[in-house]
Each structure stands twice: as C-alpha cells, then as structure tokens.
Amino acid sequence: MAVNGDKGDYICSVEAAVNEIGGKWKSLVLCSLKDGKLRFGEINNKLPEISQRMLTKTLRELEKDRIINRKVYPEVPPRVEYSLTAKGESVLPILDALCDWGKKYCEYNEN
C-alpha cells in the first residue's frame, strides 16, 4: 500500500509517521513539550544528553514540519518559546503508547 505525503511516496503510513517523528531526539523533544511552552534552555535541561547543535537542528526540523511552534518575543535579550501545534498534540497519544511499551520492554529485560 503506497501512501503519498508532503515528502513523496511512502511504502506505508508507518514510514510517513517515522519520517516525521522518528529518530532519537524528536520524540524526546515532543515529550518535553507535552506539558506546555518551554524555552531552549529549559528543553536542553530536560534533555542533558543532547548537544545544543543537535537540539537546534531538531527544533528547526519540527518547526519546518509544523509539529512545534516557535514564538519570538521582541525583547532584549530575545525570548523564544517552543510549543506543540495541533499536529504536534496529535502525536502525544502515540508517544504515550510508546512510553508504556518501553516500560514493559524494560520489565521483560529484567526477568
């Protein structure tokens, strides 16, 4: 079953989903934003293993794909906040299910 999306044809819809939110950092950034708006430094503090360069790249990709919103306040120094868009909010049930599966996976490995 081929699916046509913004970025071309996909073998199946799972490929389209993984293309949007796949990778190590995108899902973790989205999870960090699920409780509301955060600034760059706050996201970075929640994800201490991510480099600033990788966080910047990830945030830009998520913004380009309209999964997060970037709001710049005209202040000195500039203040920037990131939040989920409606599209980003729609991913949360999937991430919650993945989190539940991850907990069970860790329990299986303990036995």
Side-chain angles (χ1 to χ4, degrees), residues 34-106:
K34 75 179 189 176
D35 293 328
K37 301 174 186 174
L38 292 175
R39 295 174 72 174
F40 183 93
E42 294 170 321
I43 299 169
N44 202 26
N45 288 340
K46 286 186 171 225
L47 306 171
E49 297 294 316
I50 191 171
S51 68
Q52 288 189 357
R53 181 173 180 249
M54 181 55 72
L55 179 55
T56 299
K57 179 180 183 283
T58 302
L59 290 168
R60 285 181 182 157
E61 288 175 5
L62 290 168
E63 182 185 12
K64 182 178 69 74
D65 292 335
R66 295 178 292 201
I67 296 173
I68 64 168
N69 183 48
R70 179 178 185 265
K71 183 172 183 180
V72 180
Y73 293 89
E75 301 173 353
V76 177
R79 178 171 52 116
V80 179
E81 289 181 339
Y82 297 91
S83 60
L84 296 173
T85 63
K87 185 178 179 182
E89 295 269 346
S90 72
V91 174
L92 293 180
I94 297 163
L95 294 177
D96 289 340
L98 199 55
C99 182
D100 291 342
W101 184 87
K103 288 176 188 174
K104 289 177 186 166
Y105 173 79
C106 290

